[in-house]
């Protein structure tokens, strides 16, 4: 219920003013023909593209990464039952242009959402080291963050400068704000 209240507030305070369609828990009102099919890559093929420590974190039941992405193994990613799950770390469903629109709002000063300029300056500031050092505790690889968002760094560069910020998603998706260029960007494949 607490999560539902936050999701409802996000819909009212972000999605509605920006005119976007993005859901954490897909409502029944979205017709099937508006939804792309998600294709799973074999576990072996997926494992070959990730660092060893990340693979171990995905497989070990006590690992944070495993718990953060936990969806039942038999859950079909193309059913209403799975789409209805309100799990932000796994199940954001919407138009890629919606993600780009949110980051664009941040990259261009946030006038529609009446964002505070001090907050935007903080987001564009230099990265902060995670408590575990340069190696992120969850992903087990070098990562740079600012206020919970990824910052560009060695091995994971995006945007035009270190002032950019954003977040990757499951399966190779990515969204970010580049305040230097006034650009919001998003990419989402339909293959996991």
């Amino acid at each position: 219920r607490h999560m539902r209240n936050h999701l409802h507030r996000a819909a009212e305070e972000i999605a509605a003013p920006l005119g976007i369609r993005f859901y954490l828990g897909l409502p029944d009102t979205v017709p099937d023909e508006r939804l792309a099919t998600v294709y799973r890559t074999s576990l072996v093929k997926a494992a070959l593209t990730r660092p060893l420590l990340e693979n171990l974190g995905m497989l070990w039941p006590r690992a944070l990464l495993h718990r953060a992405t936990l969806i039942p193994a038999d859950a079909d990613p193309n059913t209403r039952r799975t789409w209805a799950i309100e799990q932000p770390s796994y199940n954001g469903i919407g138009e890629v242009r919606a993600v780009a629109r949110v980051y664009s709002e941040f990259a261009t000063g946030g006038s529609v959402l009446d964002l505070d300029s001090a907050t935007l300056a903080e987001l564009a500031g230099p990265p902060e080291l995670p408590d575990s050092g340069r190696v992120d505790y969850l992903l087990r690889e070098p990562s740079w963050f600012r206020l919970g968002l990824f910052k560009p760094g060695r091995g994971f560069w995006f945007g035009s400068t270190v002032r950019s910020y954003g977040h990757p998603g499951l399966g190779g998706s990515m969204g970010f704000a580049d305040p230097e260029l006034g650009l919001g960007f998003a990419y989402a494949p339909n293959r996991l």
Side-chain angles (χ1 to χ4, degrees):
R1 187 169 126 154
H2 183 68
M3 171 68 86
R4 227 174 234 139
N5 289 340
H6 283 295
L7 296 176
H8 183 69
R9 281 189 61 208
E12 286 179 353
E13 295 176 12
I14 299 171
L18 295 178
I20 63 170
R21 286 179 250 175
F22 193 89
Y23 309 95
L24 298 170
L26 188 71
D28 291 333
T29 56
V30 177
D32 287 350
E33 56 270 9
R34 300 248 340 128
L35 302 167
T37 300
V38 174
Y39 300 95
R40 289 186 186 197
T41 302
S42 77
L43 290 175
V44 172
K45 189 174 183 180
L48 293 174
T49 64
R50 289 192 302 259
L52 176 62
L53 289 175
E54 187 176 333
N55 282 323
L56 293 174
M58 297 274 301
L59 296 173
W60 187 44
R62 290 187 170 184
L64 289 176
L65 187 57
H66 176 82
R67 289 186 281 168
T69 58
L70 185 62
I71 290 289
D74 62 344
D76 183 340
N78 296 301
T79 66
R80 288 266 172 196
R81 182 173 177 234
T82 302
W83 298 332
I85 298 170
E86 295 173 348
Q87 185 175 6
S89 65
Y90 173 82
N91 212 20
I93 299 172
E95 298 172 343
V96 176
R97 68 176 53 102
V99 176
R101 176 66 184 102
V102 171
Y103 280 117
S104 177
E105 175 69 5
F106 280 77
T108 58
S111 61
V112 173
L113 297 179
D114 195 27
L115 298 175
D116 183 82
S117 60
T119 300
L120 294 173
E122 278 292 317
L123 286 165
E128 300 165 336
L129 285 177
D131 291 340
S132 57
R134 287 228 183 267
V135 176
D136 178 61
Y137 187 72
L138 183 69
L139 299 175
R140 301 287 187 201
E141 57 187 45
S143 302
W144 293 263
F145 296 94
R146 183 76 180 188
L147 298 179
L149 293 168
F150 276 78
K151 297 289 287 184
R154 189 182 69 226
F156 185 56
W157 190 262
F158 58 91
S160 65
T161 69
V162 295
R163 291 175 36 93
S164 299
Y165 50 90
H167 213 288
L170 188 63
S173 58
M174 178 68 189
F176 67 85
D178 186 332
E180 202 70 32
L181 296 178
L183 172 77
F185 173 86
Y187 169 80
N190 65 341
R191 183 172 302 279
L192 291 178

